[in-house]
Amino acid sequence: MSLPLADGANDDRGSRPVKIIQDRTNSRSTIAQATETIAGGVGSAFRMFAHPLVADRAKGSRLWDIDGNEYVDLLMGAGPLILGHAPDVVAEAVVAQIHKGTHFAVSCELESIASKALVDLVPCLELVRFNCSGSEAVHNCLRVARAFTGRSKVVKFEGHFHGTVDDVYVSVRPPFAAGLPHAPWPIRQNAGQPQNVTENIIVLPWNDVQALERTLRFRAHEVAAVVTEPVMYNNAGILPEEGYLSAIREITQRYEVLLVFDEIITGFRLALGGAQQFYGVTPDLCMLGKALGAGYPISAFGGRRDIMEIAAATHYGTFNANPMCLAAVVATLEELSRDDSAALRHTHEVGERLRDGLNRLFSAHDFPMQAHGNGAVFFVTSPPLVLRDYRDVLNLDNSAMHKFHAEMMSRGVLFVPNGRMMLSTAHGDNDVDTVLAAAEDVIGKW
Ligand SMILES: Cc1ncc(COP(=O)(O)O)c(C=O)c1O
């Protein structure tokens, strides 16, 4: 059955032979030149892909590089582009606001409109505050949690990423099994992080109810919060086991420790109300970012009124609640809410078709990969293994994944090099067909 195309999706279904991209000369020379003035030639270490790629323009589900090559984009700006590239409704709202003023540092009406929309959509939100990046929202949210409880330590899970603030930039992707599986060592992620940064972090294995129970039984008096990605979307896309999120909700409540969901990937993607709505588990606080502004740099944190009241007098920032970005938020949430979230449902359906199509190809060709996760964001990993926590990620074959990524990219398919594929409302059947044809070609020539 053919799915309907969303606005912005290209209708060229069924007619596309697999083309191998031969020429990235302009991309290569631009990156080479950029290394003279930009550290590493790219603006974020995340952008050090296997092959140099310099974007020229993008619309809907497609991106073109400066050599004129076209890509089906499943990278989606690392998550924010929930409405695809350059959605007209958002661009119009932002341009209208640019003419009214780009920055005030006093309140504007859009701020209360956007916050009301958020509070109406996301279950845990009673009060919110806006920031620019996800990392900032994490930083401020955990500070509020510490101030409210008067405790310093935070429990985070091995393999989860909560941005690059020193505090929690710990045990994100340790390259080896650090410590016993039930009691991982906290490992600083980057050179330059102070040694004592790990003093306030307790790292635990995810999907392990007993590990959290045991820790809080003895240490709850020093723990402000337990922070978790509701799905391990920064490492292999591991899903919470049945009942896990509600179990950690119950344990944190019992020990009077705050539960914080990092919904920076899951927000407005798994469901309009985020993973907390999708899984029916309400945390005390959460952070939102990425899809919130559909490509404009804005994030938010919020939750229970009694906790968030602390932010009233302690949360600062020149660019907080920037009016251009708020215009993007209001337009994005309106678009996603229309017709009982029809656009998001379409995204899930298209993504499920792609995920299932990839799995059919993998099994038909006895190819050692699996596609797993939700329709709006899923992972391809190799070989097919049961993935429960970060230690299982260490058993994955990174070289096979990198080869698959490079081969797909040279056939015009972009996604995160670790296998993460993200859909938007602009993706349609034609994109699915193009990606599946590329994958079949890669597998056939492996
Ligand atoms: C779950 C999660 N939290 C926090 C962040 C940090 O967001 P930002 O890169 O906007 O600072 C990210 C970024 O990828 C993320 O995936």
Side-chain angles (χ1 to χ4, degrees), residues 133-136 138 161-164 229 234 262 264-265 290:
S133 71
S135 298
E136 262 183 292
V138 170
F161 177 52
H162 303 293
T164 51
E229 285 187 76
N234 282 287
D262 181 342
I264 284 167
I265 290 185
K290 297 203 189 254

Side-chain angles (χ1 to χ4, degrees), residues 44 46 77-80 132-138 160-165 168 173 228-234 261-266 287-290 297-299 420 422:
S44 161
F46 172 81
C132 299
S133 71
S135 298
E136 262 183 292
V138 170
H160 287 210
F161 177 52
H162 303 293
T164 51
V165 182
V168 279
R173 220 161 274 127
T228 184
E229 285 187 76
V231 178
M232 205 194 283
Y233 272 136
N234 282 287
F261 277 6
D262 181 342
E263 295 247 32
I264 284 167
I265 290 185
T266 49
M287 310 89 162
L288 299 156
K290 297 203 189 254
I298 186 157
S299 62
R420 192 170 78 206
M422 305 188 94

Side-chain angles (χ1 to χ4, degrees), residues 348-375:
H348 281 241
E349 283 163 14
V350 172
E352 278 156 23
R353 193 179 151 228
L354 178 56
R355 182 200 59 203
D356 296 348
L358 285 168
N359 278 332
R360 268 196 301 277
L361 278 178
F362 296 151
S363 72
H365 294 268
D366 212 9
F367 193 69
M369 281 199 174
Q370 61 183 348
H372 53 98
N374 183 280

Side-chain angles (χ1 to χ4, degrees), residues 3-262:
L3 291 162
L5 289 170
D7 283 354
N10 309 317
D11 194 359
D12 55 358
R13 57 182 71 170
S15 61
R16 186 169 286 256
V18 177
K19 201 175 99 191
I20 312 271
I21 292 173
Q22 307 284 1
D23 185 19
R24 276 208 204 95
T25 316
N26 292 336
S27 278
R28 273 179 221 289
S29 64
T30 301
I31 297 267
Q33 206 179 338
T35 56
E36 302 290 320
T37 47
I38 301 169
V42 290
S44 161
F46 172 81
R47 293 174 207 170
M48 288 177 156
F49 279 37
H51 299 286
L53 176 69
V54 177
D56 174 35
R57 66 200 157 87
K59 187 75 184 165
S61 59
R62 304 286 167 127
L63 179 145
W64 289 265
D65 68 19
I66 55 173
D67 292 287
N69 301 307
E70 180 177 347
Y71 302 83
V72 174
D73 190 355
L74 299 169
L75 181 64
M76 284 289 102
L81 304 173
I82 190 72
L83 300 176
H85 285 282
D88 291 339
V89 280
V90 182
E92 280 156 21
V94 172
V95 168
Q97 184 57 44
I98 285 173
H99 292 295
K100 289 175 76 180
T102 59
H103 178 63
F104 304 130
V106 295
S107 291
C108 65
E109 265 185 310
L110 280 172
E111 194 172 354
S112 43
I113 297 170
S115 60
K116 169 85 171 67
L118 281 182
V119 167
D120 286 349
L121 286 176
V122 182
C124 84
L125 295 182
E126 291 175 351
L127 289 177
V128 297
R129 277 289 182 108
F130 292 99
N131 275 120
C132 299
S133 71
S135 298
E136 262 183 292
V138 170
H139 170 65
N140 286 298
C141 189
L142 293 182
R143 181 186 279 178
V144 162
R146 285 176 166 131
F148 181 78
T149 56
R151 306 173 205 144
S152 293
K153 294 200 193 303
V154 167
V155 169
K156 88 168 280 284
F157 297 99
E158 196 175 39
H160 287 210
F161 177 52
H162 303 293
T164 51
V165 182
D166 279 343
D167 243 15
V168 279
Y169 200 33
V170 170
S171 298
V172 176
R173 220 161 274 127
F176 54 92
L180 294 170
H182 298 292
W185 303 325
I187 302 287
R188 284 173 295 154
Q189 194 62 30
N190 252 14
Q193 289 181 268
Q195 284 204 341
N196 64 1
V197 88
T198 53
E199 279 173 18
N200 285 320
I201 283 289
I202 299 170
V203 177
L204 292 181
W206 200 54
N207 265 334
D208 184 338
V209 176
Q210 278 75 36
L212 182 65
E213 217 286 331
R214 216 171 25 245
T215 301
L216 293 191
R217 198 183 323 146
F218 296 110
R219 303 186 69 179
H221 62 282
E222 48 180 356
V223 176
V226 173
V227 61
T228 184
E229 285 187 76
V231 178
M232 205 194 283
Y233 272 136
N234 282 287
N235 273 305
I238 302 175
L239 299 172
E241 288 184 341
E242 183 79 36
Y244 177 68
L245 293 175
S246 45
I248 66 173
R249 173 66 290 187
E250 186 279 317
I251 293 168
T252 46
Q253 238 151 13
R254 179 150 42 93
Y255 289 105
E256 298 181 357
V257 167
L258 301 179
L259 179 63
V260 182
F261 277 6
D262 181 342

